[in-house]
Amino acid sequence: MTAQQQPGATAHSTRQSDTKRRTIGSYDSYSDAERAVDYLSDNRFPVRRVAIIGSDVRMVEQVVGRLNYGGAALRGAGSGAVTGVLIGWLFGLFNWYSPILASLTLALYGLVFGAVIGALFGLIVHALQRGRRDFASIRVMQPARYELVVDEEVADEAMNLLAKMPGGA
């Protein structure tokens, strides 16, 4: 079944697979690629025909510190408190007589209850790991380079514009 045969579908949903694209620049940082697209946009180039593609992606895990029982309980309490506040607030909205007071009261109870349950859950999970992962970290996906690609029909125009960009493309 094609896009035209599906109810509510439009023909432009398959645009990217039908259009050939050409790489017009390669950048070491995302901010440089973003600056090039911004320059194209400032010069009235049709930027919806542009894509920034990250290549050679690697996963980087930055260790931010040691995780002990206190830290595990604190992290669990923080995430539990946020969840508890939101759930308590939502339940409070359904009280028709005094929704503001009920929302605030239930949100406060949810914060306390969520923090306690979250702290206990954090302690239990940390204890079950038995020291295998006693550090905290942040994981990010990081491309080695960023390629600027445009539709083939407008690639020459984009390259000419980028050649005039102050500070180089």
Side-chain angles (χ1 to χ4, degrees):
M1 181 178 273
T2 66
Q4 254 103 35
Q5 294 171 333
Q6 296 175 358
T10 58
H12 66 79
S13 63
T14 59
R15 180 185 151 276
Q16 285 188 345
S17 62
D18 296 341
T19 304
K20 292 202 182 261
R21 293 188 149 192
R22 184 184 339 159
T23 301
I24 61 166
S26 184
Y27 302 90
D28 292 331
S29 71
Y30 180 78
S31 61
D32 289 342
E34 188 178 41
R35 190 171 62 91
V37 173
D38 190 46
Y39 181 79
L40 291 172
S41 176
D42 291 346
N43 287 282
R44 307 282 187 241
F45 184 81
V47 289
R48 59 186 302 244
R49 300 184 81 177
V50 176
I52 299 173
I53 300 174
S55 301
D56 298 332
V57 179
R58 62 186 178 157
M59 198 270 295
V60 177
E61 183 173 9
Q62 178 62 49
V63 176
V64 293
R66 184 166 174 75
L67 187 61
N68 55 19
Y69 284 102
L74 190 61
R75 289 171 60 121
S79 62
V82 169
T83 304
V85 161
L86 291 175
I87 291 173
W89 177 72
L90 285 173
F91 277 118
L93 288 178
F94 294 109
N95 185 341
W96 295 101
Y97 299 111
S98 54
I100 300 295
L101 183 61
S103 291
L104 294 176
T105 304
L106 286 175
L108 181 65
Y109 285 141
L111 181 132
V112 173
F113 185 73
V116 169
I117 297 299
L120 288 174
F121 187 72
L123 283 171
I124 291 169
V125 168
H126 184 70
L128 289 175
Q129 290 180 349
R130 296 187 180 132
R132 280 189 310 242
R133 187 167 173 94
D134 56 352
F135 60 90
S137 63
I138 299 171
R139 294 180 186 175
V140 294
M141 300 300 285
Q142 190 175 53
R145 70 178 184 283
Y146 298 87
E147 295 178 357
L148 197 63
V149 296
V150 297
D151 293 349
E152 185 67 43
E153 298 85 35
V154 293
D156 291 332
E157 179 187 352
M159 289 178 71
N160 290 337
L161 279 172
L162 287 179
K164 299 173 190 174
M165 187 170 141

mmCIF file of all heavy atoms in Angstrom, residues 36-88:
data_model
loop_
_atom_site.group_PDB
_atom_site.id
_atom_site.type_symbol
_atom_site.label_atom_id
_atom_site.label_comp_id
_atom_site.label_asym_id
_atom_site.label_seq_id
_atom_site.Cartn_x
_atom_site.Cartn_y
_atom_site.Cartn_z
ATOM 1 N N ALA A 36 27.023 26.561 10.256
ATOM 2 C CA ALA A 36 26.896 26.532 8.798
ATOM 3 C C ALA A 36 25.422 26.530 8.379
ATOM 4 O O ALA A 36 25.035 27.259 7.458
ATOM 5 C CB ALA A 36 27.614 25.306 8.227
ATOM 6 N N VAL A 37 24.584 25.747 9.051
ATOM 7 C CA VAL A 37 23.159 25.715 8.722
ATOM 8 C C VAL A 37 22.522 27.066 9.042
ATOM 9 O O VAL A 37 21.691 27.567 8.287
ATOM 10 C CB VAL A 37 22.445 24.574 9.472
ATOM 11 C CG1 VAL A 37 20.944 24.638 9.259
ATOM 12 C CG2 VAL A 37 22.984 23.233 9.024
ATOM 13 N N ASP A 38 22.929 27.677 10.139
ATOM 14 C CA ASP A 38 22.408 28.995 10.497
ATOM 15 C C ASP A 38 22.774 30.030 9.437
ATOM 16 O O ASP A 38 21.961 30.879 9.079
ATOM 17 C CB ASP A 38 22.945 29.414 11.868
ATOM 18 C CG ASP A 38 22.262 30.649 12.401
ATOM 19 O OD1 ASP A 38 21.019 30.711 12.332
ATOM 20 O OD2 ASP A 38 22.968 31.558 12.878
ATOM 21 N N TYR A 39 23.987 29.937 8.912
ATOM 22 C CA TYR A 39 24.413 30.854 7.850
ATOM 23 C C TYR A 39 23.565 30.641 6.590
ATOM 24 O O TYR A 39 23.136 31.610 5.957
ATOM 25 C CB TYR A 39 25.898 30.654 7.532
ATOM 26 C CG TYR A 39 26.405 31.576 6.464
ATOM 27 C CD1 TYR A 39 26.714 32.901 6.750
ATOM 28 C CD2 TYR A 39 26.561 31.139 5.154
ATOM 29 C CE1 TYR A 39 27.167 33.759 5.769
ATOM 30 C CE2 TYR A 39 27.016 31.987 4.163
ATOM 31 C CZ TYR A 39 27.317 33.299 4.476
ATOM 32 O OH TYR A 39 27.756 34.154 3.494
ATOM 33 N N LEU A 40 23.311 29.374 6.244
ATOM 34 C CA LEU A 40 22.450 29.087 5.096
ATOM 35 C C LEU A 40 21.057 29.666 5.312
ATOM 36 O O LEU A 40 20.470 30.270 4.412
ATOM 37 C CB LEU A 40 22.369 27.586 4.846
ATOM 38 C CG LEU A 40 23.629 26.896 4.330
ATOM 39 C CD1 LEU A 40 23.448 25.382 4.323
ATOM 40 C CD2 LEU A 40 24.008 27.412 2.957
ATOM 41 N N SER A 41 20.536 29.497 6.509
ATOM 42 C CA SER A 41 19.205 30.022 6.832
ATOM 43 C C SER A 41 19.167 31.547 6.738
ATOM 44 O O SER A 41 18.209 32.118 6.216
ATOM 45 C CB SER A 41 18.806 29.582 8.238
ATOM 46 O OG SER A 41 17.574 30.138 8.604
ATOM 47 N N ASP A 42 20.202 32.204 7.240
ATOM 48 C CA ASP A 42 20.267 33.668 7.182
ATOM 49 C C ASP A 42 20.306 34.185 5.754
ATOM 50 O O ASP A 42 19.902 35.316 5.488
ATOM 51 C CB ASP A 42 21.499 34.187 7.939
ATOM 52 C CG ASP A 42 21.376 33.979 9.437
ATOM 53 O OD1 ASP A 42 20.259 33.697 9.920
ATOM 54 O OD2 ASP A 42 22.420 34.079 10.127
ATOM 55 N N ASN A 43 20.786 33.348 4.828
ATOM 56 C CA ASN A 43 20.873 33.733 3.425
ATOM 57 C C ASN A 43 19.734 33.152 2.589
ATOM 58 O O ASN A 43 19.868 32.965 1.380
ATOM 59 C CB ASN A 43 22.234 33.317 2.850
ATOM 60 C CG ASN A 43 23.332 34.208 3.365
ATOM 61 O OD1 ASN A 43 23.495 35.328 2.891
ATOM 62 N ND2 ASN A 43 24.072 33.740 4.360
ATOM 63 N N ARG A 44 18.613 32.872 3.242
ATOM 64 C CA ARG A 44 17.362 32.441 2.599
ATOM 65 C C ARG A 44 17.470 31.115 1.841
ATOM 66 O O ARG A 44 16.732 30.882 0.901
ATOM 67 C CB ARG A 44 16.829 33.520 1.652
ATOM 68 C CG ARG A 44 16.684 34.880 2.254
ATOM 69 C CD ARG A 44 15.422 34.935 3.093
ATOM 70 N NE ARG A 44 15.184 36.297 3.552
ATOM 71 C CZ ARG A 44 15.135 36.627 4.818
ATOM 72 N NH1 ARG A 44 15.316 35.724 5.750
ATOM 73 N NH2 ARG A 44 14.898 37.862 5.193
ATOM 74 N N PHE A 45 18.394 30.254 2.262
ATOM 75 C CA PHE A 45 18.492 28.922 1.665
ATOM 76 C C PHE A 45 17.375 28.060 2.255
ATOM 77 O O PHE A 45 17.059 28.172 3.434
ATOM 78 C CB PHE A 45 19.862 28.307 1.976
ATOM 79 C CG PHE A 45 20.078 26.979 1.329
ATOM 80 C CD1 PHE A 45 20.466 26.898 0.001
ATOM 81 C CD2 PHE A 45 19.878 25.801 2.035
ATOM 82 C CE1 PHE A 45 20.659 25.675 -0.605
ATOM 83 C CE2 PHE A 45 20.069 24.577 1.441
ATOM 84 C CZ PHE A 45 20.463 24.513 0.111
ATOM 85 N N PRO A 46 16.748 27.180 1.453
ATOM 86 C CA PRO A 46 15.677 26.324 1.982
ATOM 87 C C PRO A 46 16.240 25.245 2.927
ATOM 88 O O PRO A 46 16.542 24.132 2.500
ATOM 89 C CB PRO A 46 15.050 25.714 0.725
ATOM 90 C CG PRO A 46 16.128 25.770 -0.303
ATOM 91 C CD PRO A 46 16.958 26.982 0.023
ATOM 92 N N VAL A 47 16.370 25.583 4.196
ATOM 93 C CA VAL A 47 17.049 24.701 5.154
ATOM 94 C C VAL A 47 16.295 23.409 5.454
ATOM 95 O O VAL A 47 16.886 22.490 6.022
ATOM 96 C CB VAL A 47 17.374 25.442 6.472
ATOM 97 C CG1 VAL A 47 18.472 26.451 6.262
ATOM 98 C CG2 VAL A 47 16.147 26.064 7.066
ATOM 99 N N ARG A 48 15.040 23.300 5.052
ATOM 100 C CA ARG A 48 14.367 22.021 5.267
ATOM 101 C C ARG A 48 14.912 20.948 4.332
ATOM 102 O O ARG A 48 14.557 19.780 4.444
ATOM 103 C CB ARG A 48 12.855 22.158 5.154
ATOM 104 C CG ARG A 48 12.331 22.676 3.863
ATOM 105 C CD ARG A 48 10.828 22.889 3.944
ATOM 106 N NE ARG A 48 10.141 21.662 4.278
ATOM 107 C CZ ARG A 48 9.281 21.057 3.475
ATOM 108 N NH1 ARG A 48 8.994 21.577 2.320
ATOM 109 N NH2 ARG A 48 8.701 19.939 3.835
ATOM 110 N N ARG A 49 15.812 21.329 3.433
ATOM 111 C CA ARG A 49 16.464 20.373 2.530
ATOM 112 C C ARG A 49 17.870 20.033 3.011
ATOM 113 O O ARG A 49 18.679 19.492 2.273
ATOM 114 C CB ARG A 49 16.494 20.959 1.126
ATOM 115 C CG ARG A 49 15.056 21.248 0.619
ATOM 116 C CD ARG A 49 15.031 21.719 -0.768
ATOM 117 N NE ARG A 49 15.128 20.572 -1.659
ATOM 118 C CZ ARG A 49 15.083 20.664 -2.969
ATOM 119 N NH1 ARG A 49 14.940 21.841 -3.556
ATOM 120 N NH2 ARG A 49 15.175 19.593 -3.724
ATOM 121 N N VAL A 50 18.166 20.379 4.282
ATOM 122 C CA VAL A 50 19.490 20.176 4.881
ATOM 123 C C VAL A 50 19.372 19.193 6.045
ATOM 124 O O VAL A 50 18.363 19.171 6.742
ATOM 125 C CB VAL A 50 20.055 21.523 5.402
ATOM 126 C CG1 VAL A 50 21.385 21.329 6.104
ATOM 127 C CG2 VAL A 50 20.178 22.536 4.285
ATOM 128 N N ALA A 51 20.414 18.403 6.257
ATOM 129 C CA ALA A 51 20.474 17.512 7.422
ATOM 130 C C ALA A 51 21.890 17.520 7.977
ATOM 131 O O ALA A 51 22.861 17.645 7.234
ATOM 132 C CB ALA A 51 20.075 16.095 7.039
ATOM 133 N N ILE A 52 21.986 17.423 9.293
ATOM 134 C CA ILE A 52 23.274 17.249 9.968
ATOM 135 C C ILE A 52 23.316 15.799 10.432
ATOM 136 O O ILE A 52 22.450 15.353 11.186
ATOM 137 C CB ILE A 52 23.414 18.195 11.174
ATOM 138 C CG1 ILE A 52 23.343 19.655 10.730
ATOM 139 C CG2 ILE A 52 24.724 17.918 11.908
ATOM 140 C CD1 ILE A 52 23.310 20.645 11.890
ATOM 141 N N ILE A 53 24.319 15.067 9.974
ATOM 142 C CA ILE A 53 24.421 13.642 10.284
ATOM 143 C C ILE A 53 25.692 13.395 11.087
ATOM 144 O O ILE A 53 26.796 13.715 10.632
ATOM 145 C CB ILE A 53 24.441 12.795 8.995
ATOM 146 C CG1 ILE A 53 23.164 13.030 8.195
ATOM 147 C CG2 ILE A 53 24.621 11.319 9.334
ATOM 148 C CD1 ILE A 53 23.154 12.351 6.845
ATOM 149 N N GLY A 54 25.536 12.833 12.284
ATOM 150 C CA GLY A 54 26.684 12.456 13.103
ATOM 151 C C GLY A 54 27.213 11.117 12.641
ATOM 152 O O GLY A 54 26.452 10.174 12.452
ATOM 153 N N SER A 55 28.525 11.031 12.461
ATOM 154 C CA SER A 55 29.147 9.794 11.975
ATOM 155 C C SER A 55 30.155 9.265 12.989
ATOM 156 O O SER A 55 30.674 10.008 13.815
ATOM 157 C CB SER A 55 29.873 10.054 10.660
ATOM 158 O OG SER A 55 28.987 10.534 9.690
ATOM 159 N N ASP A 56 30.456 7.988 12.881
ATOM 160 C CA ASP A 56 31.402 7.318 13.779
ATOM 161 C C ASP A 56 31.023 7.556 15.237
ATOM 162 O O ASP A 56 31.793 8.076 16.036
ATOM 163 C CB ASP A 56 32.840 7.778 13.516
ATOM 164 C CG ASP A 56 33.322 7.443 12.122
ATOM 165 O OD1 ASP A 56 32.834 6.453 11.562
ATOM 166 O OD2 ASP A 56 34.178 8.171 11.593
ATOM 167 N N VAL A 57 29.813 7.147 15.579
ATOM 168 C CA VAL A 57 29.286 7.372 16.920
ATOM 169 C C VAL A 57 29.916 6.394 17.908
ATOM 170 O O VAL A 57 30.082 5.212 17.617
ATOM 171 C CB VAL A 57 27.753 7.224 16.923
ATOM 172 C CG1 VAL A 57 27.188 7.435 18.309
ATOM 173 C CG2 VAL A 57 27.126 8.202 15.947
ATOM 174 N N ARG A 58 30.250 6.913 19.072
ATOM 175 C CA ARG A 58 30.759 6.072 20.150
ATOM 176 C C ARG A 58 30.030 6.441 21.436
ATOM 177 O O ARG A 58 29.542 7.554 21.589
ATOM 178 C CB ARG A 58 32.259 6.235 20.324
ATOM 179 C CG ARG A 58 32.662 7.637 20.704
ATOM 180 C CD ARG A 58 34.148 7.808 20.728
ATOM 181 N NE ARG A 58 34.432 9.204 21.048
ATOM 182 C CZ ARG A 58 35.539 9.627 21.558
ATOM 183 N NH1 ARG A 58 36.509 8.781 21.799
ATOM 184 N NH2 ARG A 58 35.716 10.888 21.829
ATOM 185 N N MET A 59 29.954 5.481 22.342
ATOM 186 C CA MET A 59 29.307 5.726 23.618
ATOM 187 C C MET A 59 30.387 6.092 24.630
ATOM 188 O O MET A 59 31.370 5.370 24.778
ATOM 189 C CB MET A 59 28.546 4.489 24.084
ATOM 190 C CG MET A 59 27.516 4.746 25.154
ATOM 191 S SD MET A 59 28.116 4.628 26.837
ATOM 192 C CE MET A 59 28.541 2.932 26.969
ATOM 193 N N VAL A 60 30.207 7.224 25.305
ATOM 194 C CA VAL A 60 31.159 7.676 26.310
ATOM 195 C C VAL A 60 30.449 7.683 27.657
ATOM 196 O O VAL A 60 29.386 8.276 27.806
ATOM 197 C CB VAL A 60 31.685 9.100 25.988
ATOM 198 C CG1 VAL A 60 32.617 9.594 27.073
ATOM 199 C CG2 VAL A 60 32.355 9.121 24.630
ATOM 200 N N GLU A 61 31.037 7.013 28.622
ATOM 201 C CA GLU A 61 30.478 6.994 29.971
ATOM 202 C C GLU A 61 31.437 7.746 30.883
ATOM 203 O O GLU A 61 32.535 7.287 31.171
ATOM 204 C CB GLU A 61 30.301 5.558 30.456
ATOM 205 C CG GLU A 61 29.658 5.465 31.807
ATOM 206 C CD GLU A 61 29.319 4.033 32.207
ATOM 207 O OE1 GLU A 61 29.732 3.102 31.502
ATOM 208 O OE2 GLU A 61 28.637 3.869 33.216
ATOM 209 N N GLN A 62 31.003 8.918 31.330
ATOM 210 C CA GLN A 62 31.825 9.745 32.195
ATOM 211 C C GLN A 62 31.500 9.413 33.651
ATOM 212 O O GLN A 62 30.370 9.597 34.104
ATOM 213 C CB GLN A 62 31.567 11.233 31.930
ATOM 214 C CG GLN A 62 32.341 12.165 32.824
ATOM 215 C CD GLN A 62 33.844 12.024 32.649
ATOM 216 O OE1 GLN A 62 34.348 12.025 31.535
ATOM 217 N NE2 GLN A 62 34.553 11.877 33.747
ATOM 218 N N VAL A 63 32.486 8.917 34.389
ATOM 219 C CA VAL A 63 32.296 8.599 35.799
ATOM 220 C C VAL A 63 32.311 9.910 36.576
ATOM 221 O O VAL A 63 33.222 10.717 36.433
ATOM 222 C CB VAL A 63 33.404 7.651 36.300
ATOM 223 C CG1 VAL A 63 33.256 7.392 37.783
ATOM 224 C CG2 VAL A 63 33.378 6.350 35.511
ATOM 225 N N VAL A 64 31.267 10.128 37.387
ATOM 226 C CA VAL A 64 31.152 11.397 38.117
ATOM 227 C C VAL A 64 31.397 11.249 39.613
ATOM 228 O O VAL A 64 31.452 12.247 40.324
ATOM 229 C CB VAL A 64 29.772 12.065 37.872
ATOM 230 C CG1 VAL A 64 29.651 12.512 36.436
ATOM 231 C CG2 VAL A 64 28.639 11.161 38.270
ATOM 232 N N GLY A 65 31.564 10.026 40.080
ATOM 233 C CA GLY A 65 31.871 9.856 41.500
ATOM 234 C C GLY A 65 31.562 8.467 42.000
ATOM 235 O O GLY A 65 31.001 7.631 41.307
ATOM 236 N N ARG A 66 31.983 8.244 43.234
ATOM 237 C CA ARG A 66 31.750 6.966 43.894
ATOM 238 C C ARG A 66 30.320 6.943 44.411
ATOM 239 O O ARG A 66 29.786 7.946 44.860
ATOM 240 C CB ARG A 66 32.743 6.810 45.043
ATOM 241 C CG ARG A 66 32.664 5.503 45.738
ATOM 242 C CD ARG A 66 33.898 5.288 46.622
ATOM 243 N NE ARG A 66 33.777 4.095 47.425
ATOM 244 C CZ ARG A 66 33.906 2.865 46.973
ATOM 245 N NH1 ARG A 66 34.156 2.659 45.701
ATOM 246 N NH2 ARG A 66 33.786 1.828 47.768
ATOM 247 N N LEU A 67 29.716 5.779 44.379
ATOM 248 C CA LEU A 67 28.346 5.622 44.849
ATOM 249 C C LEU A 67 28.347 4.680 46.047
ATOM 250 O O LEU A 67 28.728 3.517 45.932
ATOM 251 C CB LEU A 67 27.455 5.075 43.727
ATOM 252 C CG LEU A 67 25.966 5.019 44.013
ATOM 253 C CD1 LEU A 67 25.422 6.415 44.289
ATOM 254 C CD2 LEU A 67 25.238 4.421 42.828
ATOM 255 N N ASN A 68 27.957 5.200 47.205
ATOM 256 C CA ASN A 68 27.851 4.382 48.413
ATOM 257 C C ASN A 68 26.381 4.276 48.810
ATOM 258 O O ASN A 68 25.504 4.734 48.087
ATOM 259 C CB ASN A 68 28.706 4.976 49.533
ATOM 260 C CG ASN A 68 28.367 6.430 49.807
ATOM 261 O OD1 ASN A 68 27.293 6.912 49.441
ATOM 262 N ND2 ASN A 68 29.297 7.125 50.445
ATOM 263 N N TYR A 69 26.111 3.694 49.963
ATOM 264 C CA TYR A 69 24.717 3.513 50.380
ATOM 265 C C TYR A 69 23.996 4.851 50.555
ATOM 266 O O TYR A 69 22.833 4.988 50.176
ATOM 267 C CB TYR A 69 24.648 2.696 51.670
ATOM 268 C CG TYR A 69 24.882 1.223 51.435
ATOM 269 C CD1 TYR A 69 26.109 0.633 51.724
ATOM 270 C CD2 TYR A 69 23.878 0.419 50.902
ATOM 271 C CE1 TYR A 69 26.325 -0.707 51.491
ATOM 272 C CE2 TYR A 69 24.088 -0.925 50.664
ATOM 273 C CZ TYR A 69 25.313 -1.482 50.956
ATOM 274 O OH TYR A 69 25.524 -2.810 50.711
ATOM 275 N N GLY A 70 24.673 5.825 51.117
ATOM 276 C CA GLY A 70 24.053 7.138 51.292
ATOM 277 C C GLY A 70 23.715 7.791 49.960
ATOM 278 O O GLY A 70 22.632 8.355 49.777
ATOM 279 N N GLY A 71 24.645 7.717 49.017
ATOM 280 C CA GLY A 71 24.407 8.285 47.687
ATOM 281 C C GLY A 71 23.292 7.564 46.944
ATOM 282 O O GLY A 71 22.472 8.195 46.272
ATOM 283 N N ALA A 72 23.251 6.232 47.090
ATOM 284 C CA ALA A 72 22.196 5.457 46.440
ATOM 285 C C ALA A 72 20.831 5.820 47.023
ATOM 286 O O ALA A 72 19.849 5.974 46.293
ATOM 287 C CB ALA A 72 22.465 3.961 46.602
ATOM 288 N N ALA A 73 20.778 5.983 48.347
ATOM 289 C CA ALA A 73 19.515 6.364 48.991
ATOM 290 C C ALA A 73 19.102 7.769 48.569
ATOM 291 O O ALA A 73 17.918 8.025 48.304
ATOM 292 C CB ALA A 73 19.658 6.290 50.510
ATOM 293 N N LEU A 74 20.049 8.685 48.481
ATOM 294 C CA LEU A 74 19.738 10.062 48.094
ATOM 295 C C LEU A 74 19.233 10.141 46.658
ATOM 296 O O LEU A 74 18.247 10.831 46.372
ATOM 297 C CB LEU A 74 20.976 10.946 48.281
ATOM 298 C CG LEU A 74 20.781 12.433 48.144
ATOM 299 C CD1 LEU A 74 19.790 12.940 49.184
ATOM 300 C CD2 LEU A 74 22.109 13.148 48.297
ATOM 301 N N ARG A 75 19.898 9.427 45.752
ATOM 302 C CA ARG A 75 19.443 9.424 44.352
ATOM 303 C C ARG A 75 18.058 8.798 44.234
ATOM 304 O O ARG A 75 17.196 9.281 43.509
ATOM 305 C CB ARG A 75 20.443 8.673 43.475
ATOM 306 C CG ARG A 75 21.737 9.429 43.279
ATOM 307 C CD ARG A 75 22.768 8.554 42.600
ATOM 308 N NE ARG A 75 22.328 8.111 41.293
ATOM 309 C CZ ARG A 75 22.951 8.353 40.168
ATOM 310 N NH1 ARG A 75 24.070 9.042 40.197
ATOM 311 N NH2 ARG A 75 22.498 7.911 39.028
ATOM 312 N N GLY A 76 17.823 7.702 44.941
ATOM 313 C CA GLY A 76 16.518 7.063 44.928
ATOM 314 C C GLY A 76 15.450 7.964 45.520
ATOM 315 O O GLY A 76 14.334 8.054 45.003
ATOM 316 N N ALA A 77 15.787 8.668 46.605
ATOM 317 C CA ALA A 77 14.832 9.576 47.234
ATOM 318 C C ALA A 77 14.481 10.722 46.291
ATOM 319 O O ALA A 77 13.317 11.128 46.202
ATOM 320 C CB ALA A 77 15.410 10.131 48.544
ATOM 321 N N GLY A 78 15.458 11.234 45.572
ATOM 322 C CA GLY A 78 15.197 12.328 44.622
ATOM 323 C C GLY A 78 14.259 11.913 43.512
ATOM 324 O O GLY A 78 13.270 12.603 43.220
ATOM 325 N N SER A 79 14.527 10.773 42.898
ATOM 326 C CA SER A 79 13.645 10.340 41.803
ATOM 327 C C SER A 79 12.273 9.926 42.336
ATOM 328 O O SER A 79 11.253 10.186 41.708
ATOM 329 C CB SER A 79 14.291 9.213 41.005
ATOM 330 O OG SER A 79 14.497 8.083 41.815
ATOM 331 N N GLY A 80 12.234 9.316 43.519
ATOM 332 C CA GLY A 80 10.951 8.945 44.104
ATOM 333 C C GLY A 80 10.129 10.163 44.496
ATOM 334 O O GLY A 80 8.903 10.166 44.341
ATOM 335 N N ALA A 81 10.793 11.202 44.996
ATOM 336 C CA ALA A 81 10.079 12.420 45.391
ATOM 337 C C ALA A 81 9.438 13.091 44.189
ATOM 338 O O ALA A 81 8.282 13.531 44.255
ATOM 339 C CB ALA A 81 11.034 13.381 46.094
ATOM 340 N N VAL A 82 10.153 13.168 43.089
ATOM 341 C CA VAL A 82 9.592 13.787 41.881
ATOM 342 C C VAL A 82 8.387 13.000 41.392
ATOM 343 O O VAL A 82 7.334 13.570 41.083
ATOM 344 C CB VAL A 82 10.673 13.897 40.777
ATOM 345 C CG1 VAL A 82 10.061 14.284 39.449
ATOM 346 C CG2 VAL A 82 11.741 14.889 41.186
ATOM 347 N N THR A 83 8.518 11.693 41.340
ATOM 348 C CA THR A 83 7.405 10.852 40.910
ATOM 349 C C THR A 83 6.222 10.990 41.867
ATOM 350 O O THR A 83 5.075 11.117 41.440
ATOM 351 C CB THR A 83 7.854 9.380 40.829
ATOM 352 O OG1 THR A 83 8.979 9.296 39.956
ATOM 353 C CG2 THR A 83 6.744 8.485 40.323
ATOM 354 N N GLY A 84 6.498 10.982 43.159
ATOM 355 C CA GLY A 84 5.435 11.106 44.157
ATOM 356 C C GLY A 84 4.695 12.425 44.071
ATOM 357 O O GLY A 84 3.465 12.471 44.194
ATOM 358 N N VAL A 85 5.429 13.521 43.866
ATOM 359 C CA VAL A 85 4.793 14.832 43.733
ATOM 360 C C VAL A 85 3.845 14.852 42.541
ATOM 361 O O VAL A 85 2.707 15.318 42.633
ATOM 362 C CB VAL A 85 5.851 15.954 43.605
ATOM 363 C CG1 VAL A 85 5.262 17.212 43.024
ATOM 364 C CG2 VAL A 85 6.459 16.249 44.944
ATOM 365 N N LEU A 86 4.306 14.340 41.421
ATOM 366 C CA LEU A 86 3.466 14.351 40.224
ATOM 367 C C LEU A 86 2.218 13.496 40.387
ATOM 368 O O LEU A 86 1.120 13.909 40.025
ATOM 369 C CB LEU A 86 4.275 13.893 39.011
ATOM 370 C CG LEU A 86 5.365 14.857 38.559
ATOM 371 C CD1 LEU A 86 6.188 14.245 37.437
ATOM 372 C CD2 LEU A 86 4.763 16.169 38.117
ATOM 373 N N ILE A 87 2.371 12.308 40.946
ATOM 374 C CA ILE A 87 1.217 11.435 41.134
ATOM 375 C C ILE A 87 0.252 12.040 42.153
ATOM 376 O O ILE A 87 -0.961 12.061 41.952
ATOM 377 C CB ILE A 87 1.670 10.018 41.543
ATOM 378 C CG1 ILE A 87 2.371 9.356 40.357
ATOM 379 C CG2 ILE A 87 0.477 9.170 42.013
ATOM 380 C CD1 ILE A 87 3.011 8.034 40.674
ATOM 381 N N GLY A 88 0.773 12.563 43.259
ATOM 382 C CA GLY A 88 -0.083 13.195 44.259
ATOM 383 C C GLY A 88 -0.833 14.391 43.702
ATOM 384 O O GLY A 88 -2.026 14.581 43.960
#
